[in-house]
Amino acid sequence: MNPEPIIAPSMWEKPDRSTTAGEAIATPSLTYWQDVRQRLWANKPAVISIGFIVVLILAAIFGPLISPFSYFEQNLRLSNIPPVFETYRVSDDTGNNTRFFLNASNFNLYQVSEGGQVEGLLRGGRKDILKKRQGFEFGNTDIVLDYSSRPARLLRADGTTLRPEGWQWNMTYVFGTDQLGRDVLVRQLYGARISLLVAFVATLVNFFIGIFYGGIAGYIGGKTDAVMMRIVEIISTIPLMLYVILLMVVLNSGLISIVVAIGSVFWVDMARMVRGQILTLKQQDYVAAARTMGAGTGRILTRHLLPNSIGPILVTLTMLIPSAIFIESFMSFIGLGVTPPMASWGTLTSEAVETMRAYPHQLFFPAAAISLTMFAFNFLGDGLRDALDPRMRR
Amino acid sequence: MAGYVLQRLGQMLLTLLAIATLTFFLMHAIPGGPFVSERMLAPEIATALNDKFGLNDPIWLQYLNYLRGILTFDLGPSFRYPGVTVNEMIADGLPVTLRTGVLAVICVVALGVPMGIVAALNRNKWPDTAVMMLATIGVAIPSYVIATILLYVFALRLGWVPTFGLDDWRGYILPVFALSGFWISFVARLARSSLLETFEQDYMTTARAKGLRPGQVLFKHGLRNSLIPVVTVLGPVVANLITGSFVIEQIFALPGIGRHFVLSITNRDYTAIMGITIFYAALLMVMILIVDLLYVWLDPRIKLRKTAQ
């Protein structure tokens, strides 16, 4: 195998000028946007990402409304319940069956219905702390929970070990519960709401401040441009996250503060990009034509220049949205974001880190949610960039 | 060249002044002084403390004093830890942050660039697919998630590395990797696309046509030109390492500046917040200047002139 690039054999051949076939139009002509749409639909990861984002938005809006739980409702008797568990079955003399599972990290037994609904904590006898055992009575059948050795075992009265009957999905708390017995799924959906709210705000600021700031600076040029761009330069010298942190210190943590903080600095990248676009576009003949026909600055900007740079604007936007979502979850992770009992993917992850050894499922779901969302926006951004780039046209 | 550097230094001072002013007035906009707490201080003590730290002076005098402090590299005392200055806090955390940071930059260059080269040379074959898949994962997953997953798998489940602390070299592996993961992926993607673009340039065909060995073509003509975009992102890399260190140092319990910064935020230690922010800004600007100078060395087409516009 020769991995080094060589000169392709075709480059040594003489160009074939005998036919004019190359000049015939082979494909039906499409408008730019038809072409873009076609290329975007052909990009599988981007299409899947769009689907994911739509599902996420719908779930975030409607999920908490139809969920029987709320994000702040605590049930300490049902804390740290996993999303999937191994069930045991005990029958007593009257033929009653009891189905339950053992939470191997806090040594509690929880009763489960046949359908997999968690029905409650099973009350046992006194815990023998020294011998590390606890008795449970099911009618006349006695079961002893022995947690003196790991893993904990359930013993019958005759000393034999009770065997689990199989795995069961948690049908009450699909994603389990956290250390305060709150439903993880509904908290995740609240986290999605917050992330999407932040994404929405970032989009708005980019549209209303970033684009016009950059547009005005680029179009007017001269001293105005120099001053406006120097301000942007000063802001973007240090990471945006540092400003967001400083603003959060001033405004105190909370959902509104983080939205304000992200909103107030998140437009600078867009402003820069738009200015660059406008600088190249304003030399075009159609701008001169519009000006001779008497169009004002505002009209030229909004009717001619900005619509023509919509492609790069869209791409920049899909790249900025995940970074806004990331900053929110990052801030919440280090304790500067939303305040409890509000849930964000960042706070959910940082809470789960504390109990990671015993309950890794609490870490898995928020980490997966934020990662999948970032994936979706990244793939969509890549797809859009490829679709909007005329050079990619085949 | 010297003129350009001087001009850039002047700009840096101006930017630093703006950032110092901004942080100063932001911190002073917060209601309540640094000594207002649940435990009421005796009025005499409060006055004495305010006098000691010059908090009774008019705000413009405090501002000028603060600026003079920055110019003489004195960032003032911490308001939460009596007897500790902000300078000492930075000096205390800097070695740890610097060591992990430098290791992370080395990782970014030493892993990201070769990954990109391998991917570009094997375009659309399995090494390319593998590298791009890894890189997509690395770009999409936030650093704190990577850090916690690494911690869970390698420290808790497998027990290969310690969960916290930097007592031996193994303690560095996870923090450095979590810190640099995003940029390794980013640089790999960038190096790949940039190298592919360079391969199509006419001078590459010329170099091949005149019979240079493939290795020479790749390293002398291809790599040097395609590394320019990679150098451009090294500035943002430093910025990212700084903000990344806030959370990485917290997760792995490393006593670096990032941890001091987050702690001073939760403690509302205003002088420490201001001081560390300004320190970060200065560090970043120096880094960006170095990157810009590297740029000229790599690409002789770029000429530094005194006026930027």
Side-chain angles (χ1 to χ4, degrees):
Chain A
M1 189 184 78
N2 179 16
E4 304 293 346
I6 47 155
I7 296 171
S10 61
M11 289 190 70
W12 297 106
E13 284 164 18
K14 274 190 175 173
D16 183 13
R17 294 188 198 280
S18 57
T19 59
T20 52
E23 286 170 24
I25 294 166
T27 49
S29 87
L30 295 168
T31 66
Y32 177 61
W33 287 105
Q34 281 173 323
D35 196 34
V36 167
R37 204 176 318 138
Q38 218 170 56
R39 260 177 294 170
L40 193 61
W41 279 115
N43 187 336
K44 285 283 171 308
V47 174
I48 294 171
S49 301
I50 294 175
F52 178 83
I53 292 166
V54 169
V55 168
L56 185 73
I57 291 173
L58 291 179
I61 294 173
F62 297 110
L65 298 179
I66 56 175
S67 167
F69 306 102
S70 63
Y71 70 94
F72 51 85
E73 185 187 329
Q74 301 179 6
N75 187 350
L76 290 172
R77 292 159 58 93
L78 295 176
S79 62
N80 290 322
I81 292 187
V84 59
F85 36 72
E86 261 184 314
T87 57
Y88 299 84
R89 189 183 297 277
V90 172
S91 14
D92 59 16
D93 50 338
T94 56
N96 279 336
N97 267 322
T98 310
R99 198 171 174 224
F100 61 92
F101 75 94
L102 163 67
N103 190 337
S105 296
N106 58 10
F107 309 121
N108 281 329
L109 299 186
Y110 300 92
Q111 192 169 349
V112 187
S113 75
E114 291 304 317
Q117 311 273 348
V118 178
E119 293 186 325
L121 191 65
L122 280 179
R123 289 221 158 263
R126 247 173 62 87
K127 268 190 181 173
D128 187 341
I129 309 269
L130 278 182
K131 284 186 184 160
K132 296 190 174 174
R133 337 163 44 97
Q134 186 182 16
F136 288 87
E137 276 180 25
F138 300 93
N140 62 348
T141 316
D142 282 342
I143 296 289
V144 172
L145 169 67
D146 175 11
Y147 55 94
S148 55
S149 63
R150 296 287 183 93
R153 288 177 305 162
L154 288 161
L155 303 171
R156 287 199 192 87
D158 55 6
T160 54
T161 310
L162 192 65
R163 298 256 164 244
E165 56 171 8
W167 290 94
Q168 167 71 49
W169 286 101
N170 187 339
M171 300 313 275
T172 313
Y173 303 102
V174 180
F175 284 4
T177 59
D178 67 2
Q179 57 265 52
L180 292 174
R182 295 173 293 200
D183 183 38
V184 172
L185 175 61
V186 79
R187 285 177 71 72
Q188 289 262 27
L189 292 174
Y190 259 90
R193 277 190 178 184
I194 289 175
S195 294
L196 291 172
L197 175 71
V198 167
F200 181 68
V201 170
T203 313
L204 275 190
V205 219
N206 274 315
F207 261 112
F208 287 104
I209 304 179
I211 291 179
F212 283 98
Y213 193 96
I216 290 167
Y219 186 68
I220 295 178
K223 278 221 167 61
T224 321
D225 180 38
V227 171
M228 286 173 93
M229 277 304 120
R230 186 47 47 82
I231 293 172
V232 164
E233 226 168 78
I234 288 174
I235 294 180
S236 58
T237 306
I238 65 174
L240 288 187
M241 195 176 307
L242 221 49
Y243 288 102
V244 176
I245 288 177
L246 285 179
L247 286 170
M248 293 299 285
V249 172
V250 179
L251 298 171
N252 280 322
S253 315
L255 181 58
I256 295 173
S257 316
I258 194 144
V259 166
V260 169
I262 288 180
S264 54
V265 287
F266 228 71
W267 47 269
V268 286
D269 289 339
M270 180 63 91
R272 267 194 175 170
M273 198 282 304
V274 171
R275 171 181 174 264
Q277 282 290 316
I278 300 293
L279 279 184
T280 55
L281 286 179
K282 77 175 181 186
Q283 310 294 342
Q284 304 274 324
D285 288 342
Y286 61 79
V287 178
R291 206 178 297 136
T292 21
M293 281 155 79
T297 306
R299 191 183 164 84
I300 292 178
L301 206 55
T302 52
R303 290 276 151 162
H304 298 275
L305 292 176
L306 292 181
N308 275 301
S309 39
I310 193 77
I313 287 175
L314 274 180
V315 173
T316 316
L317 202 59
T318 41
M319 297 293 180
L320 282 174
I321 285 176
S323 82
I325 293 178
F326 168 70
I327 287 190
E328 183 278 320
S329 71
F330 186 97
M331 300 288 294
S332 296
F333 186 89
I334 59 176
L336 280 171
V338 299
T339 40
M342 201 86 91
S344 128
W345 287 339
T347 51
L348 287 174
T349 317
S350 76
E351 280 165 16
V353 169
E354 292 161 21
T355 54
M356 153 166 88
R357 197 184 285 263
Y359 310 108
H361 69 271
Q362 293 175 2
L363 178 64
F364 173 77
F365 291 110
I370 180 92
S371 303
L372 285 177
T373 308
M374 301 292 257
F375 266 124
F377 277 106
N378 271 301
F379 280 133
L380 181 58
D382 284 352
L384 264 183
R385 191 191 49 211
D386 292 349
L388 290 166
D389 187 353
R391 282 182 300 175
M392 296 290 285
R393 188 171 181 173
R394 298 266 143 76
Chain B
M1 186 72 181
Y4 171 79
V5 174
L6 270 180
Q7 195 205 3
R8 283 293 301 268
L9 285 175
Q11 271 179 20
M12 276 169 57
L13 272 181
L14 213 68
T15 312
L16 214 52
L17 178 74
I19 289 165
T21 311
L22 187 77
T23 44
F24 182 86
F25 286 105
L26 268 181
M27 292 298 123
H28 281 259
I30 303 168
F35 304 116
V36 178
S37 59
E38 297 88 49
R39 211 177 41 160
M40 282 293 283
L41 285 172
E44 299 82 28
I45 299 177
T47 322
L49 274 173
N50 281 338
D51 273 342
K52 181 167 185 275
F53 293 117
L55 294 175
N56 290 332
D57 295 341
I59 188 116
W60 60 267
L61 190 61
Q62 289 187 41
Y63 174 62
L64 288 183
N65 279 336
Y66 191 70
L67 286 189
R68 199 180 54 208
I70 294 173
L71 284 178
T72 53
F73 299 104
D74 173 16
L75 296 170
S78 159
F79 280 155
R80 277 290 175 271
Y81 300 103
V84 178
T85 64
V86 179
N87 285 26
E88 283 166 357
M89 284 170 86
I90 292 176
D92 177 52
L94 191 60
V96 171
T97 304
L98 217 55
R99 243 175 283 153
T100 40
V102 168
L103 282 174
V105 172
I106 292 174
C107 270
V108 168
V109 176
L111 290 175
V113 174
M115 274 166 72
I117 295 174
V118 168
L121 291 182
N122 297 286
R123 189 180 187 182
N124 295 334
K125 290 186 206 139
W126 71 264
D128 185 25
T129 321
V131 165
M132 288 311 283
M133 208 140 83
L134 266 179
T136 312
I137 292 173
V139 168
I141 301 183
S143 60
Y144 69 88
V145 174
I146 293 185
T148 43
I149 291 172
L150 287 177
L151 196 63
Y152 180 71
V153 174
F154 292 102
L156 283 181
R157 283 271 160 247
L158 299 173
W160 291 350
V161 288
T163 45
F164 61 88
L166 294 169
D167 295 331
D168 64 297
W169 62 271
R170 288 179 309 162
Y172 282 99
I173 299 175
L174 294 190
V176 167
F177 193 70
L179 207 51
S180 56
F182 175 88
W183 286 101
I184 292 176
S185 321
F186 191 87
V187 163
R189 280 164 67 126
L190 195 64
R192 173 185 178 270
S193 62
S194 159
L195 208 54
L196 286 179
E197 210 163 286
T198 312
F199 284 160
E200 316 228 311
Q201 299 286 325
D202 288 340
Y203 61 76
M204 293 292 281
T205 317
T206 313
R208 277 177 230 135
K210 74 181 183 185
L212 286 185
R213 268 174 287 117
Q216 264 179 318
V217 177
L218 174 65
F219 286 102
K220 280 198 99 163
H221 297 265
L223 211 52
R224 182 161 167 179
N225 285 300
S226 56
L227 278 186
I228 291 163
V230 176
V231 174
T232 329
V233 300
L234 285 183
V237 166
V238 179
N240 184 278
L241 293 184
I242 286 173
T243 49
S245 72
F246 298 162
V247 62
I248 301 297
E249 286 176 6
Q250 204 177 28
I251 292 176
F252 294 100
L254 310 182
I257 303 183
R259 201 168 150 75
H260 278 307
F261 189 59
V262 174
L263 268 179
S264 57
I265 290 167
T266 38
N267 285 338
R268 297 281 187 256
D269 192 344
Y270 299 124
T271 40
I273 299 175
M274 281 194 284
I276 297 177
T277 306
I278 289 162
F279 173 77
Y280 277 148
L283 184 74
L284 259 174
M285 284 189 287
V286 172
M287 282 315 190
I288 291 170
L289 180 65
I290 292 174
V291 166
D292 281 356
L293 295 180
L294 254 177
Y295 216 66
V296 184
W297 175 70
L298 267 176
D299 191 350
R301 284 175 303 184
I302 299 168
K303 290 217 167 45
L304 296 181
R305 268 171 292 112
K306 220 176 144 189
T307 43
Q309 310 243 313

Short mmCIF file of all heavy atoms in Angstrom, two decimals, chain A residues 261-283:
data_model
loop_
_atom_site.label_atom_id
_atom_site.label_comp_id
_atom_site.label_asym_id
_atom_site.label_seq_id
_atom_site.Cartn_x
_atom_site.Cartn_y
_atom_site.Cartn_z
N ALA A 261 -26.98 36.81 31.28
CA ALA A 261 -25.53 36.79 31.15
C ALA A 261 -25.11 36.25 29.78
O ALA A 261 -24.27 36.83 29.09
CB ALA A 261 -24.91 35.95 32.26
N ILE A 262 -25.74 35.14 29.37
CA ILE A 262 -25.38 34.57 28.07
C ILE A 262 -25.83 35.52 26.96
O ILE A 262 -25.10 35.78 26.01
CB ILE A 262 -26.00 33.16 27.92
CG1 ILE A 262 -25.24 32.19 28.82
CG2 ILE A 262 -25.94 32.69 26.48
CD1 ILE A 262 -25.73 30.78 28.78
N GLY A 263 -27.02 36.09 27.14
CA GLY A 263 -27.54 36.97 26.11
C GLY A 263 -26.70 38.22 25.91
O GLY A 263 -26.58 38.73 24.79
N SER A 264 -26.07 38.70 26.98
CA SER A 264 -25.41 40.00 26.85
C SER A 264 -24.06 39.93 26.16
O SER A 264 -23.56 40.94 25.70
CB SER A 264 -25.27 40.65 28.23
OG SER A 264 -24.62 39.77 29.09
N VAL A 265 -23.44 38.76 26.09
CA VAL A 265 -22.15 38.71 25.41
C VAL A 265 -22.11 37.75 24.24
O VAL A 265 -21.11 37.66 23.54
CB VAL A 265 -20.99 38.33 26.36
CG1 VAL A 265 -20.67 39.48 27.28
CG2 VAL A 265 -21.31 37.08 27.12
N PHE A 266 -23.23 37.04 24.00
CA PHE A 266 -23.11 35.94 23.07
C PHE A 266 -23.20 36.32 21.61
O PHE A 266 -23.22 35.47 20.75
CB PHE A 266 -24.12 34.85 23.40
CG PHE A 266 -23.48 33.52 23.42
CD1 PHE A 266 -22.62 33.22 24.44
CD2 PHE A 266 -23.66 32.61 22.41
CE1 PHE A 266 -21.95 32.03 24.45
CE2 PHE A 266 -22.99 31.42 22.41
CZ PHE A 266 -22.14 31.13 23.44
N TRP A 267 -23.24 37.60 21.31
CA TRP A 267 -23.43 38.01 19.92
C TRP A 267 -22.13 38.37 19.23
O TRP A 267 -22.12 38.68 18.05
CB TRP A 267 -24.39 39.19 19.88
CG TRP A 267 -24.02 40.24 20.88
CD1 TRP A 267 -24.48 40.33 22.16
CD2 TRP A 267 -23.10 41.30 20.71
NE1 TRP A 267 -23.90 41.38 22.79
CE2 TRP A 267 -23.05 42.00 21.92
CE3 TRP A 267 -22.32 41.74 19.64
CZ2 TRP A 267 -22.24 43.12 22.09
CZ3 TRP A 267 -21.52 42.85 19.82
CH2 TRP A 267 -21.48 43.52 21.04
N VAL A 268 -21.00 38.37 19.95
CA VAL A 268 -19.79 38.95 19.35
C VAL A 268 -19.25 38.15 18.18
O VAL A 268 -18.83 38.72 17.17
CB VAL A 268 -18.67 39.18 20.39
CG1 VAL A 268 -18.99 40.36 21.27
CG2 VAL A 268 -18.43 37.96 21.20
N ASP A 269 -19.30 36.82 18.28
CA ASP A 269 -18.79 36.01 17.16
C ASP A 269 -19.60 36.25 15.90
O ASP A 269 -19.07 36.38 14.81
CB ASP A 269 -18.84 34.52 17.53
CG ASP A 269 -17.80 34.17 18.57
OD1 ASP A 269 -16.82 34.94 18.69
OD2 ASP A 269 -17.97 33.15 19.26
N MET A 270 -20.94 36.31 16.10
CA MET A 270 -21.81 36.55 14.97
C MET A 270 -21.53 37.92 14.36
O MET A 270 -21.45 38.07 13.14
CB MET A 270 -23.26 36.46 15.45
CG MET A 270 -24.27 36.69 14.37
SD MET A 270 -24.18 35.45 13.08
CE MET A 270 -25.34 34.26 13.68
N ALA A 271 -21.34 38.94 15.22
CA ALA A 271 -21.08 40.29 14.73
C ALA A 271 -19.83 40.29 13.85
O ALA A 271 -19.82 40.90 12.76
CB ALA A 271 -20.91 41.24 15.90
N ARG A 272 -18.79 39.61 14.28
CA ARG A 272 -17.56 39.53 13.52
C ARG A 272 -17.78 38.90 12.15
O ARG A 272 -17.31 39.39 11.13
CB ARG A 272 -16.57 38.66 14.26
CG ARG A 272 -15.70 39.43 15.13
CD ARG A 272 -14.59 38.51 15.52
NE ARG A 272 -13.64 39.27 16.28
CZ ARG A 272 -12.65 38.72 16.93
NH1 ARG A 272 -12.51 37.42 16.89
NH2 ARG A 272 -11.82 39.46 17.59
N MET A 273 -18.48 37.77 12.18
CA MET A 273 -18.67 37.02 10.94
C MET A 273 -19.49 37.85 9.96
O MET A 273 -19.13 37.98 8.78
CB MET A 273 -19.37 35.71 11.28
CG MET A 273 -19.30 34.65 10.25
SD MET A 273 -20.43 34.92 8.94
CE MET A 273 -21.97 35.03 9.84
N VAL A 274 -20.58 38.45 10.45
CA VAL A 274 -21.44 39.24 9.56
C VAL A 274 -20.67 40.42 8.98
O VAL A 274 -20.76 40.72 7.79
CB VAL A 274 -22.69 39.71 10.33
CG1 VAL A 274 -23.49 40.70 9.50
CG2 VAL A 274 -23.56 38.54 10.68
N ARG A 275 -19.86 41.07 9.82
CA ARG A 275 -19.08 42.20 9.32
C ARG A 275 -18.19 41.77 8.15
O ARG A 275 -18.12 42.43 7.12
CB ARG A 275 -18.22 42.79 10.43
CG ARG A 275 -17.25 43.82 9.94
CD ARG A 275 -16.41 44.37 11.06
NE ARG A 275 -15.38 45.26 10.55
CZ ARG A 275 -14.14 44.88 10.31
NH1 ARG A 275 -13.78 43.62 10.51
NH2 ARG A 275 -13.26 45.75 9.86
N GLY A 276 -17.53 40.62 8.32
CA GLY A 276 -16.67 40.13 7.25
C GLY A 276 -17.45 39.90 5.97
O GLY A 276 -17.02 40.28 4.88
N GLN A 277 -18.63 39.29 6.12
CA GLN A 277 -19.49 39.03 4.95
C GLN A 277 -19.88 40.34 4.26
O GLN A 277 -19.79 40.48 3.05
CB GLN A 277 -20.76 38.31 5.39
CG GLN A 277 -20.57 36.85 5.65
CD GLN A 277 -20.32 36.09 4.36
OE1 GLN A 277 -20.99 36.32 3.37
NE2 GLN A 277 -19.33 35.22 4.38
N ILE A 278 -20.32 41.30 5.09
CA ILE A 278 -20.81 42.57 4.54
C ILE A 278 -19.68 43.29 3.81
O ILE A 278 -19.87 43.87 2.74
CB ILE A 278 -21.37 43.46 5.67
CG1 ILE A 278 -22.52 42.75 6.36
CG2 ILE A 278 -21.81 44.81 5.13
CD1 ILE A 278 -23.75 42.56 5.54
N LEU A 279 -18.48 43.21 4.39
CA LEU A 279 -17.34 43.90 3.76
C LEU A 279 -17.11 43.38 2.34
O LEU A 279 -16.80 44.16 1.44
CB LEU A 279 -16.08 43.69 4.60
CG LEU A 279 -15.93 44.59 5.81
CD1 LEU A 279 -14.59 44.34 6.48
CD2 LEU A 279 -16.05 46.06 5.41
N THR A 280 -17.25 42.07 2.14
CA THR A 280 -17.04 41.56 0.79
C THR A 280 -18.24 41.84 -0.10
O THR A 280 -18.09 42.08 -1.29
CB THR A 280 -16.75 40.05 0.80
OG1 THR A 280 -17.82 39.41 1.49
CG2 THR A 280 -15.45 39.72 1.46
N LEU A 281 -19.45 41.80 0.50
CA LEU A 281 -20.65 41.95 -0.33
C LEU A 281 -20.90 43.38 -0.75
O LEU A 281 -21.49 43.62 -1.80
CB LEU A 281 -21.88 41.43 0.43
CG LEU A 281 -22.03 39.92 0.57
CD1 LEU A 281 -23.27 39.58 1.34
CD2 LEU A 281 -22.07 39.28 -0.82
N LYS A 282 -20.44 44.36 0.04
CA LYS A 282 -20.88 45.72 -0.26
C LYS A 282 -20.20 46.29 -1.49
O LYS A 282 -20.62 47.32 -2.00
CB LYS A 282 -20.68 46.64 0.96
CG LYS A 282 -19.28 47.09 1.24
CD LYS A 282 -19.32 48.08 2.40
CE LYS A 282 -17.93 48.61 2.71
NZ LYS A 282 -17.93 49.45 3.91
N GLN A 283 -19.18 45.60 -1.99
CA GLN A 283 -18.54 46.04 -3.23
C GLN A 283 -19.30 45.55 -4.46
O GLN A 283 -18.95 45.91 -5.58
CB GLN A 283 -17.10 45.52 -3.31
CG GLN A 283 -16.27 45.75 -2.08
CD GLN A 283 -16.00 47.22 -1.84
OE1 GLN A 283 -16.14 48.04 -2.75
NE2 GLN A 283 -15.64 47.58 -0.61
#
